[in-house]
Amino acid sequence: MNLVIAGVVVVWLLIRQLTPRPVKEKSLFGVVVLAYGVFAASTFPASAPVTVVDVAVLIGSAILGCALAALRAFTVRLRREGDRLVQQGTALTALLWIVGLAQHLLSELLMTVPMLAQATLLLYVGVVILVQRAVLLARARSAGHLAVHGR
């Protein structure tokens, strides 16, 4: 079930990334995905003891995911449309999303607990959404786009 929800979130996210839309100073989407990801990960069966290796692989996947998210933020185009700042991802943005998701799911090959990467997928997605968003907003501010809409 977790993979179905994650799949829906990812498809919606990719469509959203590639569609021109106003940059908003505040958005709860990443926080909501992260919160659900924490909940989903917390329901992982206790009968499958997670090892230090598993935790290290998850941390490594998160670090790599955050690096890809920061890089991905630089592939998003920013432009002014009247008084609005608009963002639109590129094909490279989508490709980097796919690479990040694949590396997280494939990290499972290094884990001792089957399906742990799947169980933490929405947690991973929430974290990388927030990192990408923070870098994108920093780009907008440093480029002098001060009129970032907060609605």
Side-chain angles (χ1 to χ4, degrees), residues 41-107:
S42 73
T43 63
F44 193 72
S47 61
V50 177
T51 68
V52 172
V53 170
D54 299 326
V55 172
V57 171
L58 285 175
I59 291 170
S61 175
I63 290 169
L64 182 55
C66 288
L68 287 169
L71 178 62
R72 197 170 49 242
F74 285 94
T75 68
V76 175
R77 293 185 185 119
L78 294 173
R79 69 178 182 278
R80 283 237 168 251
E81 286 185 1
D83 68 337
R84 296 185 324 161
L85 180 61
V86 175
Q87 65 181 334
Q88 182 176 11
T90 64
L92 185 54
T93 310
L95 178 63
L96 288 171
W97 266 109
I98 293 165
V99 167
L101 294 168
Q103 73 78 25
H104 180 73
L105 290 173
L106 288 173
S107 70

